[in-house]
Amino acid sequence: MASRTPDNVPPKRRRGRPPRDPNASEARQRLVRSGLIHLTERGYSSVGIDEILAHADVPKGGFYHYFSGKEQFGLALIEAYHAYFIEMLDSALADTSMSPLSRLKAFTRNAEAGMARHEFRRGCLIGNLGQEMAALPEVFRARLVEIFQDWQERTASCLRSARDSGEIDPRQAPDALAAFFWIGWEGAVLRAKLERHGQPLRLFADTFFNLVQAPKE
Amino acid sequence: MASRTPDNVPPKRRRGRPPRDPNASEARQRLVRSGLIHLTERGYSSVGIDEILAHADVPKGGFYHYFSGKEQFGLALIEAYHAYFIEMLDSALADTSMSPLSRLKAFTRNAEAGMARHEFRRGCLIGNLGQEMAALPEVFRARLVEIFQDWQERTASCLRSARDSGEIDPRQAPDALAAFFWIGWEGAVLRAKLERHGQPLRLFADTFFNLVQAPKE
């Protein structure tokens, strides 16, 4: 494809404080948005930059203005997804109007609703890339591991509150339970995409909450 | 690549009853073996037929003698992996020298040892393909779902025995637990590949067995 200049990008103003160079910044945003749509659906290996450019309506020259190539673009998508995701996770886990375990349950329901909005076609970018790791630039690996670790720590903090308030069995270690939850939840997202249905997410969440709850007797 | 004839395949006799056309049959076996190695490591989308042919030392004409294309080859790999896998699963679950829950635990340890032998580079073919489903021939989907269902049923049968012998909490439904186990176990295989380490498998298994056990009091 011939290189075009970034000023081919159609200017579209959006909400919020205007950036210094609104067209340029918006082109980058459109690229990231398009990348997230394509990669959460089909992963990294089977998506070409040209598809992302076409969907984002950004010429190739515009892409290379922001990213040195697919690898650096992939890393930018990882950061953008992580930022979006912790906002979703924290908004559920910070809702003190609910009990700690109910907050984590609310996260699972929100995530299920999010997948349902796209007919269970789009999964978790971090899980997708983790599964594809053998075919990806090696530099992705450490960052993906760190991000799972980050999500686990936020979840462990919630589970510690659940243990302290007597919601979960006090013999369970919150850190191990949080790691267990994330390992399994990514498996559930995978199955939900495969089956194009929310049932695996629901089954995993319900069984998890059922198993960790403090004994009623 | 130019088409070559299957009789370029170097004849290698193997153990067991010789098939009617040993060279031809062995070429197919080598293709399947090579396909399993490549696809358990890197998935379907990022592996080309040429790599598989080169590794299997089979010419392209030989490939098309057995398979109409990558899609039919993929389906054959799914069946070969499923057959290999249920043998491994059943050999653990049928070992009545151990308690039912110990049999499932033995499966998880065997699977971990299997991944360790390949430095956690190769995952589960069914899980890999499930994750890639959006980029795969649609005909794969139903078969992948059926195969998970099959593994779950074998596991549910083991968990029913565990419940009947008082090993697991009688309030837990074996079918739901088996589905939960497989959803989570595939997540654990994904993480083990990402981290190149058995710890996620161990953590998932230990926490699962810990959570489902009948209360000691």
Side-chain angles (χ1 to χ4, degrees), chain A residues 2 20-21 33 43 52 56 79 85 94 101-102 135 154 163 171 204:
Chain A
R20 231 173 274 162
D21 179 351
R33 210 156 25 230
I52 290 166
E79 297 313 318
F85 198 85
L101 218 51
S102 300
R154 290 166 203 265
R163 187 195 54 190
R171 291 166 302 183
F204 182 82

Side-chain angles (χ1 to χ4, degrees), chain A residues 41 46 127-128 131 134-135 141 148 152 172 180 183 187-188 190-191 193-194 196 203-204 207 210-211 217, chain B residues 41 46 127-128 131 134-135 141 148 152 171-172 180 183 187-188 190-191 193-194 196 203-204 207 210:
Chain A
E41 187 159 333
S46 65
N128 280 4
Q131 184 75 321
R141 191 186 303 274
F148 278 133
Q152 281 173 205
Q172 301 301 335
F180 178 81
I183 287 170
L190 186 163
R191 279 291 281 282
K193 269 180 78 180
L194 173 62
R196 286 271 182 78
L203 185 140
F204 182 82
T207 307
N210 188 8
L211 286 171
E217 306 89 325
Chain B
E41 188 160 331
S46 65
N128 280 6
Q131 184 74 323
R141 191 186 302 275
F148 278 132
Q152 280 173 205
R171 290 166 301 185
Q172 300 300 334
F180 178 79
I183 287 170
L190 187 163
R191 279 292 281 282
K193 269 181 78 182
L194 173 62
R196 287 270 183 79
L203 185 142
F204 182 82
T207 308
N210 187 8

Side-chain angles (χ1 to χ4, degrees), chain B residues 3-215:
Chain B
S3 172
R4 286 181 284 173
T5 54
D7 52 15
N8 278 0
V9 181
K12 284 187 200 161
R13 292 297 295 269
R14 288 173 196 276
R15 287 169 301 175
R17 188 149 57 96
R20 231 173 274 165
D21 180 351
N23 294 358
S25 170
E26 283 179 11
R28 188 185 192 281
Q29 278 174 32
R30 288 207 304 281
L31 287 167
V32 167
R33 210 155 27 227
S34 171
L36 289 175
I37 290 169
H38 286 81
L39 271 71
T40 52
E41 188 160 331
R42 284 165 38 212
Y44 183 93
S45 305
S46 65
V47 174
I49 291 297
D50 286 349
E51 283 178 271
I52 290 164
L53 297 179
H55 180 266
D57 194 21
V58 171
K60 208 162 213 166
F63 178 84
Y64 288 104
H65 179 70
Y66 298 110
F67 307 105
S68 61
K70 195 177 176 186
E71 177 174 322
Q72 207 208 336
F73 183 56
L75 289 169
L77 294 184
I78 290 173
E79 295 314 318
Y81 189 86
H82 178 43
Y84 143 80
F85 198 85
I86 57 178
E87 201 176 301
M88 175 169 81
L89 182 60
D90 285 351
S91 79
L93 300 188
D95 181 356
T96 53
S97 73
M98 292 188 279
S99 77
L101 218 50
S102 300
R103 293 174 218 163
L104 186 57
K105 194 176 284 183
F107 159 75
T108 66
R109 296 296 190 253
N110 296 346
E112 184 187 335
M115 285 191 76
R117 271 196 295 281
H118 304 293
E119 296 161 314
F120 300 96
R121 287 172 190 274
R122 299 185 195 162
C124 169
L125 181 71
I126 311 305
N128 280 6
L129 297 180
Q131 184 74 323
E132 279 186 279
M133 195 51 233
L136 300 188
E138 191 56 34
V139 66
F140 286 18
R141 191 186 302 275
R143 189 61 188 132
L144 296 173
V145 171
E146 277 171 5
I147 287 174
F148 278 132
Q149 193 62 41
D150 178 305
W151 300 355
Q152 280 173 205
E153 279 163 18
R154 289 166 203 265
T155 306
S157 165
C158 177
L159 291 171
R160 267 190 293 277
S161 303
R163 187 196 54 191
D164 294 348
S165 66
E167 264 190 308
I168 67 174
D169 189 328
R171 290 166 301 185
Q172 300 300 334
D175 287 322
L177 279 187
F180 178 79
F181 174 82
W182 277 105
I183 287 170
W185 183 253
E186 288 294 331
V189 171
L190 187 163
R191 279 292 281 282
K193 269 181 78 182
L194 173 62
E195 300 189 9
R196 287 270 183 79
H197 201 283
Q199 193 267 350
L201 299 170
R202 191 62 67 104
L203 185 142
F204 182 82
D206 289 352
T207 308
F208 176 82
F209 292 115
N210 187 8
L211 287 171
V212 300
Q213 263 168 44

